[in-house]
């Protein structure tokens, strides 16, 4: 049974005339008749009673007609849905990102994407790079913004560098400035400072702790275990200092003193990752393009 045969059958059933049905479906009448006969052979039953000037449905034809109409309607719905997705009028993008990127990089890009494609739903999942890589691998995300190098290298993922971002030290303006008030401080200057530290599994925690230990000391934590907003709030309250991305510090700068890190400083590389074996959906590819061109 062919889809085209069902189209011809419905046209004849509705017009009760082979020639007029052929005009409706834009095919020669002999071709239409041949396809109807082929459909009847396939089904093993006549669908029409043919008499001069009088075409009526048989019992088999009456049974097939609502089913054929439903199949044709479902096919039209499927075509419409696919066209909507192809033309970026509907659909979804599942994007994972570290909390600091949700605060710093994403708001402006997502606003521009939403303005251009208001019918696309954006589903955002926050997490550390390790968790996001796992979610990508199991197909729960289309794209993820992760910090390089990946915690566990994965040949099943493709990564494209998005940006390299400097880290800075933030502190409360009401507290003594880190490093004695110099315009830039080095990582060794953080020895003796009380740090407000992120929770375990946070990329920034691992990077900061590793840098302090490379400088010859273990950091002293005033508070630990927070997410980005909590860490910034604790710093504003004067509980300690924190090392955060420059983009976050600039966006959340109210009530914060921002001190650059002296060369060589600290930086992190942000990449956009997706599975190598599955092409991201069209909407996800468009968001990927906007992130890379921001």
């Amino acid at each position: 049974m062919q889809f085209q045969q069902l189209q011809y059958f419905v046209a004849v059933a509705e017009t009760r005339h082979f020639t007029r049905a052929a005009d409706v479906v834009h095919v020669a009448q002999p071709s239409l008749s041949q396809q109807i006969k082929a459909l009847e052979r396939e089904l093993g039953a006549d669908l029409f009673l043919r008499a001069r000037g009088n075409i009526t449905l048989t019992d088999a034809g009456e049974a097939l007609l609502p089913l054929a109409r439903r199949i044709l309607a479902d096919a039209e719905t499927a075509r419409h849905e696919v066209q909507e997705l192809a033309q970026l009028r509907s659909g979804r993008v599942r994007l994972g990102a570290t909390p600091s990127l949700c605060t710093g990089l994403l708001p402006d890009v997502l606003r521009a994407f939403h303005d251009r494609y208001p019918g696309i739903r954006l589903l955002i999942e926050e997490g550390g790079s390790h968790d996001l890589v796992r979610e990508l691998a199991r197909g729960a995300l289309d794209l993820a913004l992760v910090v390089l190098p990946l915690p566990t290298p994965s040949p099943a993922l493709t990564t494209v560098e998005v940006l390299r971002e400097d880290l800075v030290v933030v502190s409360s303006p009401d507290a003594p400035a880190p490093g004695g008030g110099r315009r830039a401080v080095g990582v060794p200057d953080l020895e003796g400072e009380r740090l407000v530290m992120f929770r375990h599994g946070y990329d920034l925690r691992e990077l900061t702790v590793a840098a302090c230990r490379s400088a010859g000391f273990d950091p002293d934590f005033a508070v630990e275990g927070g997410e980005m907003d909590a860490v910034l709030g604790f710093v504003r309250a004067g509980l300690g200092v924190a090392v955060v991305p420059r983009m976050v510090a600039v966006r959340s700068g109210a009530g914060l003193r921002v001190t650059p890190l002296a060369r060589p400083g600290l930086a992190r590389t942000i990449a956009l990752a997706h599975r190598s074996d599955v092409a991201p959906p069209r909407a996800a590819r468009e968001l990927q393009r906007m992130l890379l061109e921001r």
Side-chain angles (χ1 to χ4, degrees):
M1 186 185 302
Q2 299 177 10
F3 181 78
Q4 188 180 58
Q5 292 172 338
L6 293 179
Q7 287 181 306
Y8 293 172
F9 163 71
V10 171
V12 174
E14 291 177 345
T15 62
R16 302 300 171 104
H17 198 281
F18 277 75
T19 301
R20 285 198 293 270
D23 290 338
V24 170
V25 295
H26 307 293
V27 67
Q29 189 270 329
S31 296
L32 180 140
S33 296
Q34 289 172 6
Q35 289 298 317
I36 294 294
K37 289 178 181 178
L39 178 59
E40 291 174 324
R41 286 196 299 272
E42 173 73 17
L43 296 174
D46 290 336
L47 300 173
F48 297 103
L49 295 173
R50 299 163 174 85
R52 184 178 298 275
N54 187 22
I55 301 296
T56 59
L57 287 165
T58 63
D59 289 344
E62 293 283 3
L64 178 61
L65 183 58
L67 298 175
R69 283 173 170 159
R70 188 184 312 159
I71 292 170
L72 296 176
D74 287 346
E76 179 61 25
T77 299
R79 182 171 60 191
H80 178 73
E81 290 292 329
V82 170
Q83 288 175 344
E84 288 280 280
L85 288 171
Q87 296 173 25
L88 296 170
R89 291 198 296 266
S90 67
R92 70 176 183 183
V93 178
R94 302 169 301 170
L95 174 67
T98 63
S100 59
L101 292 171
C102 287
T103 302
L105 171 66
L106 282 183
D108 290 340
V109 175
L110 294 187
R111 181 182 60 195
F113 182 86
H114 180 70
D115 288 346
R116 187 174 299 179
Y117 307 111
I120 303 295
R121 289 184 300 129
L122 294 166
L123 306 178
I124 308 301
E125 179 170 333
E126 291 187 75
S129 293
H130 181 81
D131 293 336
L132 296 177
V133 165
R134 186 175 63 248
E135 293 300 285
L136 275 174
R138 73 181 188 89
L141 296 173
D142 301 311
L143 302 169
L145 286 162
V146 297
V147 179
L148 296 181
L150 294 177
T152 52
S154 173
L157 295 182
T158 297
T159 59
V160 180
E161 185 173 327
V162 175
L163 63 91
R164 183 172 171 81
E165 183 179 20
D166 291 335
L167 304 184
V168 298
V169 179
V170 292
S171 57
S172 169
D174 299 326
R182 294 195 301 275
R183 294 183 62 183
V185 298
V187 173
D189 294 319
L190 297 180
E191 186 174 11
E193 294 284 353
R194 306 293 308 283
L195 294 184
V196 178
M197 184 51 64
F198 301 96
R199 62 172 172 80
H200 285 282
Y202 224 82
D203 300 289
L204 286 169
R205 178 191 180 103
E206 313 306 328
L207 195 155
T208 302
V209 170
C212 291
R213 288 176 177 165
S214 293
F217 69 96
D218 284 321
D220 181 17
F221 299 153
V223 184
E224 61 174 316
E227 300 282 349
M228 179 60 69
D229 288 343
V231 166
L232 295 175
F234 295 150
V235 170
R236 289 190 185 95
L239 292 174
V241 305
V243 177
V244 303
R246 181 183 297 276
M247 195 179 300
V248 171
V250 169
R251 181 175 286 274
S252 309
L256 292 172
R257 177 197 295 119
V258 180
T259 305
L261 283 165
R263 292 182 178 179
L266 290 176
R268 63 177 187 168
T269 300
I270 306 302
L272 195 58
H274 63 81
R275 288 175 56 177
S276 302
D277 59 337
V278 179
R282 170 71 187 279
R285 297 200 303 273
E286 182 62 14
L287 178 58
Q288 180 181 40
R289 184 190 65 77
M290 294 179 69
L291 281 164
L292 295 174
E293 293 179 357
R294 81 202 186 292

